[in-house]
Amino acid sequence: MNESEKLLQEMLEKQKNGGLKPADRYAIPSQDMPAQDPGVRKGNISEVATGYSSLQARLEAMRCLQCKTAPCMEGCPVKIRIRDFVTAIAQGDDVKALAVIKENSLLPAVCGRVCPQEVQCQETCTVGKKFKDVEKSVSIGRLERYVADLDQESNSIPQVAAPTGKKVAVIGSGPGGIVVATDLRRMGHDVTVFEAFHKPGGVMVYGIPEFRLPKAIVQREIDVLTKMGVKIVCNFVVGRTRTVGELMNEDGFDAVYIGVGAGLPNFMNIAGESLIGVYSANEYLTRANLMNAYKFGKGSDTPIAQSKRVAVVGGGNVAMDAARTALRLGAEKVFIVYRRSEKEMPARVEELHHAKEEGVEFCLLQNPKRVIGDENSRVQAIEILKYELGEPDASGRRKPVVIPGSEFILPVDTVIIAIGNGANPLIGQTTPGLALNKWGNIVVDESCKTSLDGVYAGGDIVLGAATVILAMGQGRIAAAAINDYLKTKK
Amino acid sequence: MYFSPEPVRNLKLSHKIVSKQQLSENVFVADIEAPLIAKARKPGQFVIVCTRGNYSERIPLTIAGADASKGTIRLIWQRVGKSTAEMSDMKVGDEIDNIAGPLGKPTHIEKFGTVVCIGGGIGAAPLLPIAEGMKKAGNKLISILGARTKELLILQEEFAAISDEIIIVTDDGSVGKKALVTEPLKEICQRSPKPELAVAIGPAIMMKFCCQTTAPLNVPTVVSLNTIMIDGTGMCGGCRVEVDSKPMFVCVDGPEFDGHKVNFDLMMKRMTAYRDLEQESLKKYKDHACKIGL
């Protein structure tokens, strides 16, 4: 028997004889996520974090104090009864734990992997507060993933109510669209999902890499949708193939949900940005993920730069994904160039940590001034300016200020711009009367209703750049509102 | 059709090839089932084709025509890379897995007066519906068609049928005049009154020289660009070009731009980004096709 097994026996004994005291719970070490070795994993595309064993999951769950107030739940955008599912795991009832999660979240295997728990449920966790370290909080995300993965083979399909005779179009098959489609189908509506790409899944398929979210998990969720009777139509670009107006006035849809995501990459508007070897992160990741460019010449036809030295500009999760993808595609050196300090980086701590472990180098308080090309217009370097932190700006983060004369040259052959997305104009331009804000994002009320009757929207096209879980949260709200709307509609 | 009330799962939009012809050694034309695109498309728009589900490229091809009543679109392509080679080897009755569209902004068509349309090689294909639209809108239509040699000249009859004046040129003089398209273009732009608009579609180098011809003579010139794309909906930015020194996306801001403001040199270089890899891919395909006796 190893130490963990001994510890679990001891805790189970105590649980039987009157229960665990807070001191007992604090004494259980926080369980590390098992992961592939950094040196090995950067040579493959398999998932980095391999998941808790049942022993680890149970010990981790026992660290939860089961607070009456459940502050973790307040931190969750979809209000999962976190305390109750963690308690169920501590009691060895994983089936019940999953049922509790599924009351509120439809994609636990996805959210357990990609949610930024450290600024949501785990930020408000009492255990983390006690240790004054959010990394010591109960690892709620890892526990969510653990129970969700146990469910992989079960293929449980949600019950579908009797047909209502109402038809709903869901535009976009990303996390928000999947949630809206599932909820509305459960209520008995006839749901069709329209996807512009040739494969459904949205950002979970084109953007988030395999090593962080295996495609098989997304495919399983899509399969559940189709088994429920949701129709999925790929290669269908709403705004071009058919407009929102045509869907409602000619094709008989009673309501529409727009969940098309963030679809227009920002560039920096610096010299040299159109040179060969400069990519938006969207393009780089889409080539690598959706188009399988890592298999170029071995079955896949989509090429990607065969880079040796790569600079990724930006400090978010997408920047980390691009940097780590570049390593896996064979780059020898990958730099993250970010104009603020590490503290201001929007990327998840875990992603930052994984990138560092894999050897990504961080050029902090630096920003490209221009991209330099050779005589064939191929990237050969970037010129970088150094910054220092000044006063806090509107976002509350300290504003980076240029250090004059600090320019230097970093030789690279590939530059990936990961500084966010603007709103895609396609639906706005082709839907008269749809109110947009000054950035082109769709304006909605608290029920996710747009300025048009029967048209709802959520996710990045409303929020700007957000997360999978926020898109899911809005999908939930919109589905309930659409259901109410359809009840009153004749 | 797709919106049947029956509970259908995982709807597949079928894209069967209903007719196909070889126009020259490397140029093919096919009518392909795509009823929704056939209904929605306007001159100037394109589709993204991805021949086989999981592992093909996504390539942009301009729509050369459509028959909404039959539900077909017409594509004309030149065999240059693996995907177009695959399409060239397909037969009537075969299906293309994925076609998305119509994409891009349609051509701005109105009565300008006299419009000169310049088509170079395969560029005549996307030009035809634009020329038809211009003619229908009441414009006097002058067409210039150019190719390297007689064999590569396409759609001559179709253009002749709608044009008030048609000029054919070839590099080797095997048909029409031995000249580049810029020669008659210059002559036409020097006439009085001069044409109100020029529309040039063809290889980037041809469009560049057409623009250099029309700019000093102050004839506004529209060009249609066909750059490397993935999604075709604005999401990746791979298709970006410099227009008036600003980055523009061919897929959503174009494909047509004011030719006098396009940075053609940079665009031509960007088109070569994957040339070696594309050749490698095509070679593998050809070797394989030989082995299986295609």
Side-chain angles (χ1 to χ4, degrees):
Chain A
M1 204 189 272
N2 69 24
E3 256 171 62
S4 290
E5 283 165 346
K6 263 187 234 158
L7 181 59
L8 182 64
Q9 285 309 320
E10 195 183 310
M11 291 298 144
L12 287 173
E13 203 62 31
K14 282 190 180 172
Q15 214 167 34
K16 225 187 291 168
N17 308 324
L20 297 177
K21 295 192 176 63
D24 298 323
R25 298 181 186 275
Y26 290 137
I28 304 172
S30 104
Q31 301 292 302
D32 287 333
M33 181 59 127
Q36 282 195 70
D37 179 80
V40 174
R41 72 189 188 223
K42 67 180 187 185
N44 67 50
I45 60 152
S46 304
E47 194 169 17
V48 166
T50 49
Y52 275 165
S53 65
S54 62
L55 172 70
Q56 281 184 297
R58 199 146 184 201
L59 280 173
E60 185 66 26
M62 283 173 168
R63 298 181 61 235
C64 171
L65 299 169
Q66 301 169 7
C67 311
K68 272 213 179 70
T69 51
C72 45
M73 215 179 128
E74 287 311 304
C76 173
V78 297
K79 303 281 175 282
I80 294 174
R81 292 198 288 126
I82 293 167
R83 178 196 58 199
D84 300 342
F85 98 72
V86 174
T87 303
I89 298 173
Q91 288 165 349
D93 192 348
D94 297 336
V95 175
K96 181 180 166 193
L98 185 67
V100 171
I101 295 173
K102 284 207 165 172
E103 289 168 12
N104 296 77
S105 173
L106 292 169
L107 307 172
V110 175
C111 294
R113 288 174 166 81
V114 304
C115 261
Q117 288 96 5
E118 66 275 14
V119 294
Q120 296 177 358
C121 52
Q122 290 173 202
E123 186 179 39
T124 50
C125 172
T126 314
V127 178
K129 292 230 150 76
K130 153 86 185 169
F131 289 110
K132 296 191 172 63
D133 180 358
V134 70
E135 287 189 50
K136 293 267 162 49
S137 294
V138 176
S139 295
I140 297 164
R142 294 170 184 174
L143 291 172
E144 180 182 25
R145 171 183 163 170
Y146 164 76
V147 281
D149 284 358
L150 290 177
D151 188 42
Q152 276 189 38
E153 309 306 323
S154 81
N155 282 324
S156 58
I157 308 299
Q159 283 282 316
V160 174
T164 60
K166 303 287 188 198
K167 283 174 65 173
V168 184
V170 174
I171 309 171
S173 62
I178 291 176
V179 167
V180 174
T182 311
D183 275 359
L184 289 171
R185 183 67 194 133
R186 278 212 276 220
M187 297 164 189
H189 304 301
D190 180 355
V191 181
T192 306
V193 178
F194 295 104
E195 167 57 46
F197 268 130
H198 56 285
K199 262 188 263 182
V203 72
M204 300 183 290
V205 169
Y206 74 74
I208 304 175
E210 176 78 16
F211 57 82
R212 209 148 73 77
L213 177 62
K215 302 286 169 288
I217 287 170
V218 182
Q219 189 55 49
R220 208 169 69 229
E221 302 301 340
I222 300 290
D223 289 345
V224 169
L225 273 189
T226 55
K227 283 181 191 150
M228 289 172 74
V230 170
K231 292 158 231 174
I232 301 177
V233 185
C234 290
N235 300 311
F236 194 107
V237 185
V238 175
R240 290 278 183 238
T241 313
R242 299 291 275 167
T243 63
V244 171
E246 287 166 339
L247 290 175
M248 296 190 81
N249 302 325
E250 296 174 27
D251 301 335
F253 286 98
D254 299 290
V256 170
Y257 177 80
I258 304 170
V260 294
L264 203 71
N266 293 334
F267 285 92
M268 303 186 70
N269 297 318
I270 55 173
E273 229 173 354
S274 293
L275 292 167
I276 300 170
V278 183
Y279 290 88
S280 73
N282 277 2
E283 182 184 0
Y284 193 78
L285 290 172
T286 301
R287 282 180 184 273
N289 295 325
L290 179 78
M291 305 309 292
N292 299 303
Y294 63 93
K295 284 189 206 150
F296 179 79
K298 299 184 199 85
S300 171
D301 297 341
T302 300
I304 196 163
Q306 297 176 320
S307 317
K308 294 276 173 260
R309 292 170 64 88
V310 180
V312 181
V313 183
N317 290 324
V318 173
M320 302 303 141
D321 285 347
R324 297 170 68 199
T325 297
L327 282 176
R328 283 159 177 78
L329 286 166
E332 289 157 11
K333 276 269 182 211
V334 179
F335 305 92
I336 291 266
V337 181
Y338 180 58
R339 65 194 185 120
R340 303 181 198 246
S341 72
E342 188 172 317
K343 215 175 86 202
E344 285 83 19
M345 273 199 174
R348 295 184 58 200
V349 176
E350 185 181 319
E351 304 312 326
L352 200 72
H353 173 71
H354 279 151
K356 280 187 183 166
E357 274 186 346
E358 289 167 13
V360 173
E361 285 184 36
F362 285 73
C363 306
L364 300 169
L365 289 162
Q366 297 179 10
N367 209 28
K369 188 180 169 193
R370 64 184 174 117
V371 186
I372 302 164
D374 64 13
E375 66 282 4
N376 295 316
S377 293
R378 290 184 185 260
V379 173
Q380 60 179 14
I382 46 176
E383 186 176 6
I384 295 185
L385 264 173
K386 292 187 179 171
Y387 286 66
E388 58 194 354
L389 287 180
E391 296 299 309
D393 65 8
S395 72
R397 295 182 295 182
R398 290 179 65 192
K399 194 182 158 80
V401 183
V402 175
I403 303 173
S406 61
E407 289 92 339
F408 72 99
I409 303 282
L410 180 71
V412 292
D413 52 47
T414 305
V415 179
I416 303 169
I417 312 288
I419 56 169
N421 280 277
N424 191 294
L426 213 48
I427 290 202
Q429 280 170 0
T430 55
T431 313
L434 185 69
L436 309 175
N437 69 14
K438 65 175 173 178
W439 298 283
N441 295 104
I442 298 174
V443 177
V444 298
D445 66 14
E446 67 285 351
S447 70
C448 290
K449 183 187 171 298
T450 69
S451 56
L452 295 172
D453 274 350
V455 181
Y456 296 74
D460 280 6
I461 192 63
V462 167
L463 300 166
T467 57
V468 165
I469 188 75
L470 287 173
M472 287 180 46
Q474 285 204 313
R476 266 270 135 110
I477 292 166
I482 291 171
N483 189 46
D484 288 344
Y485 167 78
L486 292 175
K487 272 189 212 152
T488 59
K489 190 178 182 242
K490 287 191 190 97
Chain B
M1 180 173 39
Y2 309 112
F3 307 124
S4 91
E6 306 302 317
V8 188
R9 287 170 184 174
N10 252 345
L11 285 157
K12 173 101 176 68
L13 303 189
S14 132
H15 301 294
K16 196 182 280 178
I17 298 176
V18 296
S19 72
K20 181 173 169 253
Q21 269 181 290
Q22 189 158 4
L23 295 181
S24 68
E25 191 192 343
N26 283 315
V27 177
F28 298 81
V29 56
D31 288 342
I32 300 161
E33 278 179 1
L36 291 178
I37 300 172
K39 201 168 152 192
R41 72 97 205 185
K42 293 194 174 72
Q45 290 188 299
F46 65 93
V47 290
I48 291 273
V49 174
C50 176
T51 48
R52 300 166 296 127
N54 268 338
Y55 293 106
S56 289
E57 309 160 272
R58 292 170 61 97
I59 58 166
L61 291 173
T62 314
I63 304 168
D67 185 332
S69 64
K70 287 189 190 145
T72 57
I73 57 168
R74 175 165 298 176
L75 298 180
I76 298 182
W77 67 92
Q78 188 165 8
R79 181 163 48 194
V80 283
K82 159 123 187 228
S83 293
T84 46
E86 265 179 341
M87 286 175 69
S88 305
D89 289 338
M90 285 181 157
K91 298 179 183 64
V92 171
D94 287 351
E95 286 196 19
I96 293 174
D97 277 353
N98 308 284
I99 300 183
L103 301 169
K105 289 183 179 164
T107 308
H108 175 70
I109 289 177
E110 62 167 72
K111 186 171 177 185
F112 295 97
T114 299
V115 176
V116 53
C117 285
I118 310 104
I122 184 93
L127 185 64
L128 182 61
I130 298 170
E132 284 169 347
M134 290 296 180
K135 178 68 187 171
K136 222 177 272 174
N139 291 291
K140 182 182 173 198
L141 177 65
I142 305 174
S143 300
I144 304 173
L145 294 184
R148 264 203 334 271
T149 180
K150 183 182 177 185
E151 228 272 279
L152 300 174
L153 195 76
I154 59 168
L155 302 175
Q156 188 180 340
E157 279 169 36
E158 285 81 351
F159 273 93
I162 57 167
S163 303
D164 295 283
E165 183 183 347
I166 181 163
I167 298 152
I168 307 290
V169 295
T170 46
D171 293 5
D172 60 1
S174 52
V175 60
K177 196 177 174 191
K178 183 176 173 180
L180 298 174
V181 290
T182 44
E183 192 179 304
L185 177 62
K186 188 173 178 189
E187 184 267 311
I188 289 163
C189 291
Q190 284 167 333
R191 288 179 193 174
S192 179
K194 65 181 183 197
E196 274 73 21
L197 183 73
V199 182
I201 308 183
I205 186 81
M206 181 211 89
M207 292 191 280
K208 176 184 165 178
F209 282 107
C210 284
C211 291
Q212 283 184 2
T213 305
T214 56
L217 299 166
N218 292 317
V219 176
T221 303
V222 171
V223 294
S224 177
L225 308 182
N226 188 327
T227 50
I228 297 171
M229 287 186 193
I230 302 181
D231 61 297
T233 63
M235 205 211 70
C236 83
C239 64
R240 67 194 184 279
V241 288
E242 268 184 27
V243 180
D244 214 5
S245 306
K246 286 193 244 350
M248 294 288 228
F249 289 6
V250 171
C251 64
V252 288
D253 300 318
E256 292 174 7
F257 294 97
D258 176 350
H260 295 155
K261 294 181 176 161
V262 172
N263 182 342
F264 283 105
D265 292 338
L266 183 60
M267 176 186 136
M268 284 188 270
K269 282 187 174 147
R270 279 185 68 84
M271 303 276 289
T272 68
Y274 300 105
R275 189 150 288 170
D276 296 347
L277 295 171
E278 283 161 358
Q279 286 310 311
E280 186 186 311
S281 192
L282 178 64
K283 186 176 177 301
K284 270 195 185 150
Y285 174 75
K286 280 185 178 161
D287 292 349
H288 179 68
C290 285
K291 276 184 208 137
I292 62 172
L294 270 173

